[in-house]
């Protein structure tokens, strides 16, 4: 695989399926022959007009579109790095990413997104989809040499464990390995259509979009997830599989009225959701795969078919074919079956560095320490929780790191200390909650704290429950998040509205 690159995989898909739709987008449709030509011309235009070359960074602030997928592939072709930015991030969060990665070019799909980039990077050259298409129309086909298979192709910001996100440097080799192991497990072919219901700025969404290209499948691209629109795509037989985070599948099922005649060619779903939702899709004849993954492996480590049974709670499947997994104790020693410990992963999917040159949690012999706690129970890999130093909250598929939110809360003039935890939520799986210690004589309402946070971090990170405490409980010198969570559960405060 060292000589076979991610770009080679797309070339092969194009050679085998020149007339198959590569992208079925709200903004246009292109078969594989034309799609490959567009990518080569885009790469040529980026190199000629904006001097993009091996190692250059391009930030993009946009919704899903075939042009977004073309940008990913053009970066693969050139050896440049695409830096996708979550459109829900605040001004200061966007500023941090741009300041850190020092891009050569910005891409925005609307005047609003362009203005957001201009505000934080006034000297950065910024183009839109019009200029994107003009480069393709006026540029010759790129004929330069392809970069090595190990060349970086993207920086995906994640893991704000210490209060600031880190940019995982994903290589073409990482995504090629992911594409092969996931695509083979799902049995993908050129007859499939992948519903891009997850955003392309998300590692999970980007991984599946690239994988679909490697297997000659069609990337079906609505601008964002909207249940009625997604239901129409499913009914029309354009989508055969999709990936999701709760509550997407629930909303899609409701839009389809949970009728088997409405599911078209839909054959499988990969995602994390409630047992009830899984059961309902399985009854319609759709295969459901649970998973385990993270950005530091550029996608997934496990997958396994489930049926929504009670004994499947926590089950994440089995290791994929290019992934090695081991359960270790605190000293790094392998644990016996049935014992819970930290999951270590090794293989070609493992991301080795954060931008610009900070190592991920790698051991000297190449194992990635994931920070997640799993166990193997009679051959079944079960997710148990997270280690203390990597506590995070999963809300609607978005990662929320308490340390980042706590830093913002403690910046409020009335707040002395803060502890952020996650609580179960019937719609979003988890919701963000906060306990605060106010300064002597201070008074501030939950609504005021929420507004303060919303001005500084993305809305999905803003706590929806606040409780005031005299002190934050501690255990063995560290914040006792379990005690804070128990307090919130025993005396639940009012839940603030969810903001987009």
């Amino acid at each position: 695989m060292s000589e076979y690159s991610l770009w080679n995989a797309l070339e092969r898909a194009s050679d085998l399926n020149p007339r198959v739709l590569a992208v079925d987008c709200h903004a246009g449709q292109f078969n594989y022959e034309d799609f490959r030509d567009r990518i080569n011309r885009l790469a040529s235009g980026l190199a000629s007009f904006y001097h993009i070359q091996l190692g250059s960074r391009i930030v993009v602030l946009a919704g899903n579109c075939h042009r977004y997928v073309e940008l990913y592939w053009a970066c693969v072709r050139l050896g440049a790095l695409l830096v996708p930015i979550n459109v829900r991030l605040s001004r200061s969060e966007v500023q941090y990413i741009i300041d850190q990665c020092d891009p050569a070019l910005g891409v925005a799909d609307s005047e609003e997104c362009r203005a957001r980039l201009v505000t934080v990077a006034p000297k950065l050259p910024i183009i839109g989809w019009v200029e994107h298409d003009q480069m393709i129309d006026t540029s010759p086909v790129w004929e330069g040499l392809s970069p090595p298979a190990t060349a970086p192709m993207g920086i995906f910001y994640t893991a704000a464990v210490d209060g600031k996100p880190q940019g995982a440097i994903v290589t073409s080799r990482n995504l090629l390995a992911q594409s092969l192991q996931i695509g083979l497990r799902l049995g993908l072919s050129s007859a499939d259509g992948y519903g891009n219901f997850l955003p392309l700025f998300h590692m999970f969404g980007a991984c599946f979009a690239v994988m679909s290209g490697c297997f000659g499948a069609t990337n079906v691209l609505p601008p964002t997830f909207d249940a009625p629109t997604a239901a129409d795509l499913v009914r029309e037989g354009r989508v055969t599989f999709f990936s999701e985070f709760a509550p997407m599948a629930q909303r899609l099922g409701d839009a389809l009225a949970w009728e088997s005649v409405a599911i078209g060619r839909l054959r499988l779903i990969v995602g994390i959701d409630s047992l009830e939702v899984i059961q309902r899709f399985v009854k319609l004849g759709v295969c459901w795969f649970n998973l385990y993954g993270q950005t530091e492996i550029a996608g997934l480590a496990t997958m396994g078919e489930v049926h929504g049974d009670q004994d499947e709670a926590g089950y994440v499947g089995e290791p994929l074919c290019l992934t090695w997994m081991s359960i270790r104790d605190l000293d790094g020693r392998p644990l016996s079956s049935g014992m819970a410990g930290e999951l270590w992963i090794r293989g070609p999917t493992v991301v080795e560095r954060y931008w610009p040159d900070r190592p991920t949690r790698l051991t000297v012999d190449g194992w990635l320490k994931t920070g997640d706690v799993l166990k193997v129970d009679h051959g079944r890999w079960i997710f148990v929780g997270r280690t203390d130093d990597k506590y995070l909250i999963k809300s609607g598929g978005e990662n929320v790191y308490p340390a980042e939110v706590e830093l913002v809360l403690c910046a409020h003039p009335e707040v002395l200390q803060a502890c952020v935890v996650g609580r179960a939520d019937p719609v979003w799986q988890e919701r963000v909650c906060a306990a605060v210690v106010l300064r002597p004589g201070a008074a501030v309402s939950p609504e005021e704290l929420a507004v303060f946070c919303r001005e500084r971090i993305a809305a999905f990170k803003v706590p929806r429950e606040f409780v005031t405490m005299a002190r934050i409980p501690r255990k063995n010198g560290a914040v006792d998040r379990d005690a804070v969570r128990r307090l919130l559960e025993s005396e639940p405060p009012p839940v603030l509205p969810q903001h987009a």
Side-chain angles (χ1 to χ4, degrees):
M1 197 171 73
S2 60
E3 297 181 1
Y4 186 77
S5 71
L6 188 58
W7 178 251
N8 294 149
L10 183 71
E11 287 184 313
R12 181 179 180 278
S14 174
D15 289 341
L16 293 175
N17 310 285
R19 299 291 178 263
V20 172
L21 276 184
V23 287
D24 179 4
C25 180
H26 62 96
Q29 295 179 327
F30 298 97
N31 63 32
Y32 267 94
E33 183 176 53
D34 293 338
F35 183 60
R36 176 176 168 183
D37 183 72
R38 286 176 62 87
I39 294 164
N40 272 313
R41 293 180 187 278
L42 177 61
S44 178
L46 289 169
S48 299
F49 293 110
Y50 300 100
H51 310 293
I52 301 300
Q53 57 187 335
L54 184 70
S56 298
R57 278 83 63 201
I58 302 174
V59 294
V60 56
L61 190 64
N64 284 7
C65 178
H66 68 89
R67 300 178 182 93
Y68 207 140
V69 182
E70 290 166 357
L71 274 173
Y72 271 120
W73 282 109
C75 285
V76 170
R77 189 76 172 96
L78 291 170
L81 291 83
L82 195 69
V83 186
I85 297 179
N86 187 331
V87 296
R88 301 171 69 187
L89 295 186
S90 68
R91 180 187 182 280
S92 61
E93 290 170 314
V94 174
Q95 177 90 63
Y96 174 81
I97 291 173
I98 289 180
D99 287 349
Q100 206 208 32
C101 74
D102 188 24
L105 180 66
V107 181
D109 70 344
S110 66
E111 288 304 315
E112 178 189 357
C113 288
R114 182 188 290 266
R116 292 179 65 191
L117 291 180
V118 169
T119 300
V120 299
K123 295 182 179 180
L124 178 68
I126 299 170
I127 65 172
W129 293 149
V130 172
E131 295 91 340
H132 176 108
D133 288 342
Q134 287 174 344
M135 276 192 289
I136 292 172
D137 292 340
T138 60
S139 299
V141 171
W142 176 254
E143 295 182 351
L145 295 175
S146 294
T150 55
M153 57 73 60
I155 303 175
F156 292 81
Y157 276 82
T158 182
V161 177
D162 299 321
K164 291 295 183 182
Q166 303 176 91
I169 304 173
V170 174
T171 67
S172 291
R173 179 175 183 256
N174 293 146
L175 273 184
L176 175 60
Q178 279 293 355
S179 296
L180 292 175
Q181 67 175 7
I182 299 172
L184 291 171
R185 181 69 178 89
L186 297 178
L188 296 190
S189 73
S190 59
D192 281 303
Y194 171 61
N196 283 260
F197 301 154
L198 291 177
L200 286 167
F201 60 69
H202 196 290
M203 184 75 258
F204 194 7
C207 172
F208 269 60
V210 170
M211 172 192 68
S212 298
C214 292
F215 280 82
T218 302
N219 268 298
V220 183
L221 292 138
T224 187
F225 177 74
D226 169 73
T229 301
D232 287 341
L233 295 172
V234 170
R235 286 193 194 94
E236 293 164 7
R238 294 156 70 182
V239 172
T240 64
F241 76 108
F242 65 90
S243 50
E244 68 91 47
F245 288 116
M248 294 168 65
Q250 171 74 53
R251 292 179 175 176
L252 175 61
D254 291 343
L256 293 169
W258 298 101
E259 296 177 351
S260 59
V261 295
I263 65 170
R265 297 194 303 133
L266 183 65
R267 67 182 186 90
L268 59 90
I269 300 171
V270 181
I272 300 172
D273 220 306
S274 68
L275 297 179
E276 178 187 2
V277 169
I278 295 171
Q279 286 174 351
R280 297 185 77 175
F281 271 104
V282 169
K283 286 180 180 178
L284 295 178
V286 178
C287 291
W288 189 291
F289 286 85
N290 270 4
L291 61 95
Y292 169 84
Q294 60 176 220
T295 301
E296 285 81 358
I297 55 169
L300 306 185
T302 69
M303 283 175 37
E305 186 174 354
V306 292
H307 303 88
D309 300 332
Q310 287 295 328
D311 63 354
E312 293 173 336
Y315 170 65
V316 295
E318 290 77 40
L320 293 167
C321 64
L322 296 176
T323 298
W324 286 260
M325 294 169 48
S326 177
I327 305 298
R328 304 294 181 103
D329 66 12
L330 293 175
D331 296 318
R333 293 173 299 205
L335 291 171
S336 302
S337 179
M339 299 181 68
E342 184 176 11
L343 173 65
W344 289 19
I345 293 176
R346 188 172 66 181
T349 66
V350 169
V351 172
E352 296 182 356
R353 309 200 77 75
Y354 295 117
W355 183 263
D357 194 26
R358 178 180 175 183
T360 54
R361 302 178 71 214
L362 285 177
T363 65
V364 292
D365 53 349
W367 287 93
L368 175 72
K369 301 168 69 175
T370 67
D372 291 319
V373 178
L374 279 77
K375 66 178 180 180
V376 183
D377 187 6
H378 297 93
R380 294 158 54 86
W381 292 77
I382 308 296
F383 181 83
V384 176
R386 297 182 176 90
T387 58
D388 291 340
D389 62 341
K390 196 213 166 190
Y391 177 71
L392 64 81
I393 301 161
K394 281 275 191 180
S395 182
E398 297 278 15
N399 289 350
V400 180
Y401 287 84
E404 182 180 13
V405 185
E406 289 162 357
L407 280 177
V408 172
L409 284 169
C410 289
H412 191 284
E414 308 291 352
V415 176
L416 182 63
Q417 293 178 297
C419 175
V420 172
V421 298
R423 287 190 61 212
D425 187 276
V427 176
W428 305 100
Q429 289 205 316
E430 283 188 288
R431 63 173 172 264
V432 184
C433 307
V436 295
V437 177
L438 300 182
R439 296 185 182 278
V444 61
S445 70
E447 291 77 12
E448 290 172 319
L449 288 174
V451 169
F452 181 83
C453 290
R454 204 170 296 119
E455 291 171 349
R456 291 160 175 81
I457 52 176
F460 66 83
K461 302 176 184 178
V462 175
R464 294 180 59 204
E465 294 180 355
F466 290 90
V467 63
T468 301
M469 307 179 73
R471 64 180 183 85
I472 301 294
R474 305 183 78 84
K475 183 178 180 181
N476 298 325
V479 170
D480 189 348
R481 297 187 190 276
D482 289 337
V484 174
R485 191 181 298 105
R486 286 194 297 270
L487 175 67
L488 285 161
E489 290 170 351
S490 63
E491 302 176 25
V495 180
L496 301 180
Q498 178 82 16
H499 289 265

